[in-house]
Amino acid sequence: RVFNDIYHSLESLYGFSLQQLLLLMMEGDSICSTAGYLGGKVLFMNEETLVYSTGSALLFLNIRTGTQVHHWTGDYSSIVMFAVNRSKNLFCVSQHQLQATIQVYSYQSFKPVAKLVDGEVEIRFNALAFSECGTYIMAIGDAPKFMLSVWDWEKGVLMASVSVPEELASGNASFLDGDQLAVAVVGLHAARVYVLKKMLGRWNIFPVDVDVYSHGSPLLLNAEGLK
């Protein structure tokens, strides 16, 4: 499905066929034994560059020239999640570790610019996303607490965290456009929107009631949980 989503733009912009893209991604080379595409999401770093995980590294593939750049974080543990922000030329990764961390890098220089930690989260994050402006990063931690955390990474500040229902913990999440700082978390059969508000000088995350659907039946996931 990932390839179907980007196929038409590749073909119209670069005359690149889906088959050619797959061959480039599966080839790999002698630089890294995990250079081939192993599955998972594929993102555009810019108009010409795709990025995807190859295990313990990220591969940046220029779809115009076929040039590949491997970025290894220096840690052999597998990359669980990654995200990009095109407006600020940034990417971030989270690896499978005893203490879950998020490393933020500048693209092309590949220099680390920030390291983010939530002491409530162990082992891994299940979701990771930049805000459109590139100032904020959100992540959802794994069991047992399933913490949704939002950072102002430029200030190195963990703004707020809240535990999310297990139904949402392994889903997708993203920031929403608008005047408020808000994120949407979508699981297999449920969804919830969270809004960040600053009260008495402190940021807090509040769930917002959202009508969602599962197998054609209306559900309501509100502050008390899935009903």
Side-chain angles (χ1 to χ4, degrees), residues 4-192:
N4 289 334
D5 292 341
I6 63 176
Y7 171 68
H8 294 295
S9 60
L10 288 172
E11 190 171 44
S12 61
L13 289 173
Y14 308 110
F16 222 89
S17 72
L18 181 60
Q19 289 77 13
Q20 288 172 309
L21 175 62
L22 284 168
L23 285 173
L24 274 175
M25 294 175 68
M26 295 302 293
E27 279 177 354
D29 56 33
S30 59
I31 297 176
C32 177
S33 61
T34 58
Y37 177 64
L38 303 176
K41 66 181 179 181
V42 181
L43 302 177
F44 273 102
M45 187 68 240
N46 54 41
E47 291 184 353
E48 296 185 352
T49 306
L50 292 176
V51 57
Y52 55 90
S53 172
T54 63
S56 60
L58 289 182
L59 190 144
F60 294 80
L61 171 65
N62 186 303
I63 58 177
R64 186 184 295 277
T65 66
T67 304
Q68 298 179 1
V69 176
H70 300 268
H71 173 69
W72 181 52
T73 65
D75 190 319
Y76 286 102
S77 57
S78 60
I79 293 176
V80 180
M81 283 289 156
F82 70 97
V84 305
N85 181 263
R86 297 174 63 179
S87 64
K88 289 193 174 181
N89 227 23
L90 297 167
F91 66 95
C92 62
V93 301
S94 178
Q95 293 178 264
H96 197 285
Q97 299 169 322
L98 292 178
Q99 174 63 67
T101 60
I102 299 169
Q103 295 278 0
V104 185
Y105 295 89
S106 174
Y107 175 58
Q108 292 187 325
S109 73
F110 295 99
K111 293 181 178 179
V113 294
K115 181 178 180 179
L116 309 175
V117 178
D118 183 342
E120 298 285 343
V121 179
E122 300 177 358
I123 306 299
R124 58 179 287 164
F125 289 102
N126 292 328
L128 188 61
F130 273 102
S131 62
E132 186 176 1
C133 66
T135 299
Y136 307 105
I137 289 176
M138 63 80 59
I140 299 178
D142 205 355
K145 295 184 178 180
F146 304 114
M147 299 301 293
L148 165 63
S149 306
V150 179
W151 290 265
D152 181 333
W153 75 264
E154 293 175 325
K155 296 180 180 178
V157 174
L158 174 60
M159 299 168 63
S161 297
V162 66
S163 180
V164 304
E166 188 174 355
E167 296 93 336
L168 301 176
S170 297
N172 295 314
S174 64
F175 285 90
L176 299 177
D177 296 334
D179 297 331
Q180 290 183 309
L181 186 56
V183 297
V185 184
V186 181
L188 186 60
H189 302 304
R192 177 181 280 177

Side-chain angles (χ1 to χ4, degrees), residues 191-194 207-213 219-222:
R192 177 181 280 177
V193 173
Y194 291 86
V208 179
D209 291 355
V210 180
D211 286 312
V212 296
Y213 292 86
L219 299 173
L220 182 63
L221 184 60
N222 59 23

